[in-house]
Amino acid sequence: MESMNEILPLREQAAIRDRWLKTRLDTVVPELLERENIDMWIVICREYNEDPVLMSLLPATSMSARRRTILVFARTETEVERLTLSRYGYEGFYDGAWNPDEEDQFECLARIVRERDPERIGINTSRDFAFGDGISHTELQLVREALGESCAARMVSAEKLCVGWLERRSAEEIIAYPRLVEIGRQIIARAFSTAVIHPSLTTTDDVVWWMRETMQEAGLSAWFQPTIDIQAPGQTYKDTENPRTTIMPGDLLHCDMGFHYLGLATDQQQHAYVLRPGESDAPSGLRAALADANRAQDIHLEEMQVGRSGNDVLRAALERAKAEGIRSQIYSHPLGLHGHAAGPLVGLWDRQDGVPGVGDYPLYDDTVYAIELNITRSIPEWDGQDARIMLEEDAVLTGGALRWLDGRQESFHLIG
């Protein structure tokens, strides 16, 4: 796997991530503060109880909040001040604004707020988005007490600011992202081959742990445990109690895997078919099912338009698929600094009527998504038994259009 050998040493990864962070701090934060009409943004948390936004705002070598970390972003007429009220500084990213030998940390925060006199102070509280709800109960109380009744009355939810910051990808990140997805595709291709799978001997868990070890050895960090599952005549996608786990000829295999690299996440699902003796391809019924899934992807991509909500996209895509006779479910999600990342949900597998709140958030340009869906189709070669094709491929919404980051699966991996 050639691309696996191109994974950078940690020092080089950190340098790249810090360069990306500086660009985003210089460009994305000012834009979002203006878009959301927030004059000051306060991000505050304690060590090991980090706000999910905080780590995305710190340089790559930062491992935690370090005691209590307070970051302040303050709009002026000409710029956005970036301040840190923390015992340990972040030179080159934030200006130190607190001397712990002279002033209490919260007294310093109150002074900075009074001096700048912001009208709207963004605090990370949110009913709908975990990513915008990172301030703890105690920290919120302490901020209110420090600011006093007059200034505390100016606090507003920074929910959309948090989501906007996390979901927006820089031009450099968008250029780099296809390589990450390519690495994932190569891991899947290797896993779904006779180099890893020996029918009648290899189990699904064997493949799962091969994926985990492969990612670990390469320096990639899996953000969830991969899965491998089997469909075959007599074993459907609904058979979740004591399913057969030894891989055999005639099986339809499905995988789900994702990892972090350079601070960005991937998420991919593909299928393989284990050839029976004398076969050179999967049965035509399975190939037709994969074609249905590809068509559902086409429809989904066409409906992913800037300004539409996740729920609007879900409704329109499902209606079009149904009109074409495709039995489909859609449950796509944003991808970026997290696997299930900040931004609009386009359905959940158990919420095909829409997701209130998170699904009402609109799509913005320069964002990345895991396009995740399934279709179900009757397979003649399986005596009419249903098979479910579950695909997940990563795509970027930029320039007003959604495109695959590194293609998609249009034919089965063949084993044997």
Side-chain angles (χ1 to χ4, degrees):
M1 291 184 287
E2 181 180 346
S3 289
M4 298 288 286
N5 297 325
E6 298 174 2
I7 292 172
L8 299 172
L10 290 178
R11 184 176 184 177
E12 293 182 38
Q13 290 185 43
I16 290 171
R17 292 177 61 182
D18 285 351
R19 186 176 74 239
W20 290 351
L21 175 60
K22 287 182 179 179
T23 297
R24 283 164 44 77
L25 289 172
D26 288 341
T27 58
V28 177
V29 169
E31 178 189 335
L32 292 174
L33 286 171
E34 181 176 0
R35 187 185 85 183
E36 301 304 327
N37 191 27
I38 290 178
D39 303 299
M40 178 178 285
W41 183 24
I42 298 174
V43 180
I44 175 172
C45 58
R46 285 177 288 176
E47 191 169 358
Y48 304 132
N49 191 27
E50 282 79 15
D51 182 318
V53 171
L54 179 81
M55 300 311 296
S56 72
L57 293 166
L58 298 183
T61 51
S62 298
M63 301 297 182
S64 68
R66 301 297 297 275
R67 299 190 187 181
R68 173 179 283 111
T69 294
I70 303 177
L71 302 179
V72 177
F73 301 83
R75 292 172 67 192
T76 70
E77 292 183 359
T78 58
E79 63 176 354
V80 172
E81 289 184 284
R82 301 200 301 264
L83 308 176
T84 176
L85 284 60
S86 310
R87 186 169 291 275
Y88 304 95
Y90 305 104
E91 186 176 355
F93 298 88
Y94 299 91
D95 294 329
W98 174 47
N99 185 340
D101 295 327
E102 298 179 359
E103 195 174 19
D104 174 81
Q105 196 173 18
F106 280 100
E107 289 176 357
C108 178
L109 176 62
R111 175 178 57 79
I112 285 173
V113 172
R114 288 195 303 270
E115 289 173 351
R116 286 152 182 81
D117 196 26
E119 293 184 12
R120 287 167 53 85
I121 303 171
I123 298 292
N124 295 355
T125 60
S126 171
R127 180 181 297 273
D128 295 323
F129 289 93
F131 295 108
D133 197 36
I135 190 168
S136 72
H137 176 77
T138 299
E139 297 302 288
L140 180 58
Q141 283 186 316
L142 292 172
V143 171
R144 287 186 182 278
E145 292 171 7
L147 297 190
E149 185 176 340
S150 175
C151 286
R154 307 178 194 180
M155 295 195 306
V156 299
S157 170
E159 168 190 89
K160 293 181 180 178
L161 176 57
C162 294
V163 174
W165 162 256
L166 290 171
E167 73 174 345
R168 180 74 61 82
R169 303 273 63 82
S170 68
E172 283 187 289
E173 289 173 312
I174 291 173
I175 292 170
Y177 229 131
R179 179 51 58 90
L180 276 70
V181 180
E182 179 190 15
I183 292 170
R185 292 170 68 86
Q186 289 190 339
I187 293 173
I188 293 171
R190 183 74 169 176
F192 280 160
S193 76
T194 54
V196 175
I197 294 175
H198 304 278
S200 83
L201 298 176
T202 305
T203 69
T204 53
D205 269 353
D206 292 335
V207 185
V208 164
W209 285 106
W210 179 90
M211 285 181 160
R212 279 295 304 275
E213 293 288 353
T214 298
M215 287 185 275
Q216 179 81 5
E217 290 170 4
L220 306 170
S221 175
W223 64 269
F224 66 94
Q225 178 77 349
T227 61
I228 302 289
D229 53 73
I230 297 171
Q231 295 177 73
Q235 180 162 316
T236 74
Y237 60 89
K238 297 179 181 179
D239 297 334
T240 57
E241 293 188 11
N242 300 316
R244 173 171 55 82
T245 60
T246 300
I247 297 169
M248 300 295 291
D251 285 350
L252 175 66
L253 305 182
H254 163 261
C255 74
D256 190 356
M257 63 156 283
F259 57 80
H260 275 104
Y261 176 49
L262 294 173
L264 300 173
T266 67
D267 200 359
Q268 295 164 280
Q269 295 181 46
Q270 294 190 2
H271 284 272
Y273 178 73
V274 185
L275 295 169
R276 298 177 184 273
E279 287 184 322
S280 59
D281 205 345
S284 60
L286 289 179
R287 298 200 305 271
L290 180 57
D292 275 357
N294 288 152
R295 177 56 188 155
Q297 288 176 320
D298 292 338
I299 292 170
H300 189 0
L301 262 64
E302 291 166 7
E303 296 298 334
M304 293 280 285
Q305 298 172 15
V306 172
R308 302 183 73 182
S309 73
N311 287 334
D312 288 340
V313 172
L314 175 68
R315 188 177 306 110
L318 288 177
E319 287 176 356
R320 286 182 58 187
K322 184 177 180 181
E324 295 189 20
I326 299 172
R327 289 186 280 162
S328 181
Q329 290 182 315
I330 293 172
Y331 31 94
S332 295
H333 59 85
L335 197 63
L337 303 181
H338 303 86
H340 293 151
L345 280 182
V346 186
L348 291 168
W349 68 267
D350 56 349
R351 291 301 306 270
Q352 291 297 284
D353 55 345
V355 186
V358 182
D360 294 320
Y361 187 85
L363 278 69
Y364 286 96
D365 235 350
D366 298 328
T367 51
V368 174
Y369 294 87
I371 301 300
E372 186 176 6
L373 53 76
N374 72 59
I375 68 91
T376 304
R377 185 181 175 114
S378 173
I379 308 301
E381 296 86 350
W382 289 6
D383 294 329
Q385 176 183 309
D386 278 349
R388 174 166 285 180
I389 301 296
M390 297 162 279
L391 296 180
E392 186 172 18
E393 300 285 5
D394 302 339
V396 59
L397 179 58
T398 187
L402 194 72
R403 59 175 172 79
W404 301 117
L405 282 165
D406 188 48
R408 66 175 180 182
Q409 181 177 26
E410 296 181 347
S411 60
F412 293 110
H413 298 278
L414 298 176
I415 302 169

